[in-house]
Amino acid sequence: MIALIQRVQSARVDVENTTVGAIGPGLLALVAVQPGDDESRTKRMLERLLGYRVFADEQGRMNRSLADTGGELLLVSQFTLAADTRSGMRPSFTRAATPDEGRRWFDRLVELARAAHPRVEIGRFGAHMQVHLVNDGPVTFWLETP
């Protein structure tokens, strides 16, 4: 599982000119499911999303997590993160899970996140989405579960 996380002041996802998910300060996580992802990888990704220290402490150092700050989390499925771009001029998506497998593990991540964190919003799996964000920093990190 891959997540591209961005610390944001705000973010929202629109589908067909309707907002389906929106947050204030927190993290936007673009998530790709890969073949072989399972319950343990999904749980580990959630641990990282909630525990990764990207928010400033009193000294201005990145030493606080989403769980520490009570920030909001916006999860958006994005299979293109799993693209193989090592050669050629067109991405290959052989490293992305099938749509059924992707939906299964993305939905499970959402379920676990909502059970563990008070404010979780989502995009719409498989939809053409417009993602709007105000990146805070900018701060962006690539997370993977082995």
Side-chain angles (χ1 to χ4, degrees):
M1 191 170 280
I2 299 167
L4 181 73
I5 62 170
Q6 298 181 68
R7 187 178 71 189
V8 298
Q9 291 178 2
S10 63
R12 77 173 197 272
V13 177
D14 295 342
V15 176
E16 297 178 1
N17 297 316
T18 301
T19 299
V20 297
I23 63 169
L27 288 180
L28 165 64
L30 305 173
V31 178
V33 177
Q34 297 180 285
D37 282 347
D38 57 14
E39 184 77 10
S40 66
R41 289 182 184 174
T42 303
K43 286 180 176 179
R44 178 64 179 141
M45 180 56 75
L46 179 62
E47 287 175 6
R48 297 195 79 200
L49 291 172
L50 298 180
Y52 210 66
R53 297 182 301 172
V54 298
F55 296 94
D57 63 14
E58 295 75 22
Q59 289 77 40
R61 296 182 58 198
M62 285 188 199
N63 207 23
R64 299 183 67 199
S65 68
L66 191 68
D68 295 331
T69 64
E72 301 175 38
L73 177 62
L74 176 57
L75 296 170
V76 177
S77 63
Q78 186 176 347
F79 79 95
T80 60
L81 288 176
D84 184 349
T85 60
R86 293 176 289 184
S87 65
M89 299 304 284
R90 183 173 183 209
S92 167
F93 296 106
T94 57
R95 297 186 332 177
T98 65
D100 287 343
E101 186 180 12
R103 179 182 295 274
R104 175 182 178 198
W105 293 113
F106 181 78
D107 287 351
R108 181 65 176 145
L109 179 65
V110 170
E111 178 184 1
L112 292 168
R114 286 183 166 158
H117 196 71
R119 181 89 161 100
V120 177
E121 294 283 323
I122 61 172
R124 185 173 297 155
F125 188 93
H128 184 88
M129 297 175 273
Q130 291 76 47
V131 180
H132 308 264
L133 68 132
V134 178
N135 191 315
D136 183 18
V139 172
T140 304
F141 293 97
W142 178 276
L143 302 178
E144 286 187 73
T145 56

